[in-house]
Amino acid sequence: AKAGGAKAIGVSHYCAHHVKDVQQVATVPIAVNQVEFHVGMGQAPDTATDDKDFMLSQGIVYQGFSSLCGPCPPPYNKELITGDLVTSIGKAHNKTGAQVALKWVVQQGIPVLPKSSNPKHQAENMDLFSWNLTEAEMAKLSAAPTPPVSGGSSASDSGDCGIKSVVV
């Protein structure tokens, strides 16, 4: 950054205390924080969402990955693709359960990084912008308690916020 090459940096799995540590020494701003975020985390505490609200308050793009809960243990690893909640909402829009799960994230203004090598799924992943979930559907998805965050020791802990950082 000091040589002028970097204009901003991106981080992954950073919580508020990590960001504050970086901000003390950084010469360029943090532009993006990539974190696990999916249906089931709508009511999760800051320790599970890696301090989403703090990131937004700092102008840091909060970017969701694993928005279909790929790393989640069974049976949660399929819940956002074929589960009753997402598929029933999808039927009302002629969309798949996966599209509903991704749309819930995108409709909150959070970019997603869906992974697929299947051309059909890639096309479905791109078809998120021509339709919207209703307020009631968003509320149902936001209130869903599962699938929980998958990285930490419990559904209220991503495993990231407990890691203490040290600035040297």
Side-chain angles (χ1 to χ4, degrees):
K2 289 182 181 180
K7 303 296 182 209
I9 57 176
V11 296
S12 184
H13 299 276
Y14 276 41
C15 297
H17 68 273
H18 302 126
V19 168
K20 289 174 185 176
D21 288 345
V22 171
Q23 288 172 329
Q24 289 178 15
V25 297
T27 58
V28 295
I30 298 173
V32 63
N33 186 12
Q34 295 178 340
V35 297
E36 177 184 348
F37 192 68
H38 51 74
V39 171
M41 295 176 65
Q43 301 296 318
D46 288 343
T47 53
T49 64
D50 293 349
D51 296 317
K52 177 175 76 108
D53 292 336
F54 172 80
M55 299 305 152
L56 299 174
S57 77
Q58 297 294 299
I60 298 170
V61 173
Y62 185 88
Q63 185 173 45
F65 69 80
S66 296
S67 294
L68 297 177
C69 211
C72 294
Y76 300 124
N77 61 331
K78 300 291 183 193
E79 186 172 337
L80 299 181
I81 299 170
T82 57
D84 290 341
L85 177 61
V86 293
T87 56
S88 65
I89 291 172
K91 285 179 184 173
H93 300 278
N94 198 29
K95 303 295 178 190
T96 66
Q99 286 174 297
V100 169
L102 293 172
K103 182 63 176 184
W104 176 80
V105 178
V106 170
Q107 196 162 313
Q108 294 177 67
I110 300 170
V112 294
L113 297 168
K115 174 187 163 198
S116 179
S117 58
N118 180 318
K120 179 182 178 208
H121 295 163
Q122 290 172 346
E124 289 171 351
N125 291 345
M126 291 300 297
D127 183 23
L128 299 177
F129 305 101
S130 63
W131 59 285
N132 284 306
L133 296 165
T134 67
E135 285 184 35
E137 291 165 339
M138 286 293 289
K140 278 185 189 176
L141 293 163
S142 293
T146 60
V149 66
S150 63
S153 59
S154 73
S156 63
D157 179 14
S158 69
D160 301 323
C161 294
I163 299 170
K164 301 299 178 199
S165 54
V166 178
V167 176
V168 291

